[in-house]
Amino acid sequence: MWTSLPRAGFDTETTGINVVEDRVVTAAVVIQGGDREESYTWLADPGVDIPDGAAAIHGITTSTAQRDGRSAPDVLEEIAEILARHMSGGYPVIAFNASYDFTLLENELARYGLQTVAQRLGGRVYPVIDPYFLDRHADRYRKGKRTLAHIAAHYGVPADETFHDAEGDVRMTLRVLDAIVEKFPELGEAPLEVLENDQRAAYNEFTDFISRRYPRSANEPRGWPVSV
């Protein structure tokens, strides 16, 4: 079962929410398999000013990124290489609202003329497990917000990490995934291909709803786990 495979949690903190124009500021990948763990974190100089609103969320200002951050292309290359190497073995990457992080990452890589994750994998970003849309699939009609904090609270996962810190969010996401699978064990028994289709269907249902409610959003990039 996929639950016994090594898994890599992935998250980014960025300059904003526009997946086409905004930039990676921090990122984290945590790989867990058996009793082993590898943890990677990055701070990049995004090459643009970090808006005050974004800095207020993740705590990284323009001056901090310029002083302590590494070259954005170097950081992006390392992130893409680690993720692609992991997925090339058929091992899942776990990301909360994966279409945001992967779409922004793919656009960043293309911006600098670097191979995208999809290109490194031969054209498909797979396998990806997204607790946000896995929860929407498994508990379709539940009312209320579904931010990482709200979903963690719903499944009784203690909030003992700092939200909007990339590594903290990765670890919270991995614990939330475990809690979802514990409540819905059939998800852990399903093949990865089936889960991919279920998550994509939940994504499409949700984005269709958003497009009807906010017609202007219909022109935004769409697709899971990468929007185009």
Side-chain angles (χ1 to χ4, degrees):
M1 296 191 296
W2 64 267
T3 51
S4 65
L5 297 175
R7 61 186 188 176
F10 169 53
D11 186 58
T12 63
E13 298 295 335
T14 64
T15 60
I17 61 173
N18 187 312
V19 293
V20 176
E21 298 178 0
D22 281 307
R23 314 294 180 93
V24 171
V25 177
T26 68
V29 173
V30 177
I31 301 175
Q32 298 175 339
D35 58 356
R36 298 186 61 186
E37 178 178 288
E38 302 171 32
S39 179
Y40 305 89
T41 59
W42 296 268
L43 171 60
D45 176 358
V48 299
D49 288 342
I50 300 172
D52 290 342
I57 292 172
H58 53 60
I60 307 298
T61 63
T62 301
S63 59
T64 299
Q66 290 174 341
R67 183 186 67 236
D68 300 330
R70 296 173 53 207
S71 158
D74 290 347
V75 167
L76 294 164
E77 174 65 28
E78 290 179 11
I79 296 170
E81 182 59 27
I82 288 171
L83 293 177
R85 183 170 66 242
H86 181 81
M87 283 188 279
S88 68
Y91 305 141
V93 169
I94 318 302
F96 191 87
N97 196 14
S99 60
Y100 171 79
D101 295 285
F102 272 109
T103 304
L104 192 142
L105 175 62
E106 295 291 75
N107 281 314
E108 276 271 69
L109 290 163
R111 178 178 292 114
Y112 290 103
L114 302 171
Q115 273 198 320
T116 65
V117 176
Q119 289 169 339
R120 295 166 199 250
L121 291 170
R124 181 186 181 199
V125 177
Y126 173 89
V128 174
I129 301 293
D130 183 345
Y132 178 69
F133 284 108
L134 202 61
D135 174 62
R136 283 194 172 276
H137 163 72
D139 202 351
R140 183 178 177 187
Y141 298 109
R142 188 175 80 247
K143 303 294 185 182
K145 295 181 179 180
R146 302 202 194 210
T147 65
L148 179 57
H150 285 91
I151 290 181
H154 173 76
Y155 286 99
V157 177
D160 58 357
E161 303 285 358
T162 303
F163 286 113
H164 301 299
D165 169 84
E167 185 176 2
D169 281 2
V170 165
R171 294 185 183 280
M172 177 64 74
T173 296
L174 293 173
R175 293 200 297 272
V176 164
L177 175 63
D178 291 339
I180 292 173
V181 172
E182 182 177 359
K183 183 171 182 179
F184 302 100
E186 65 274 14
L187 298 176
E189 299 166 0
L192 283 168
E193 288 280 1
V194 171
L195 284 188
E196 179 179 46
N197 291 336
D198 290 342
Q199 291 171 106
R200 184 175 290 112
Y203 170 90
N204 288 336
E205 180 179 60
F206 180 66
T207 50
D208 285 345
F209 166 76
I210 293 297
S211 295
R212 291 192 300 270
R213 190 167 185 179
Y214 306 103
R216 245 187 292 183
S217 69
N219 296 323
E220 295 178 358
R222 288 187 57 172
W224 186 94
V226 179
S227 299
V228 294

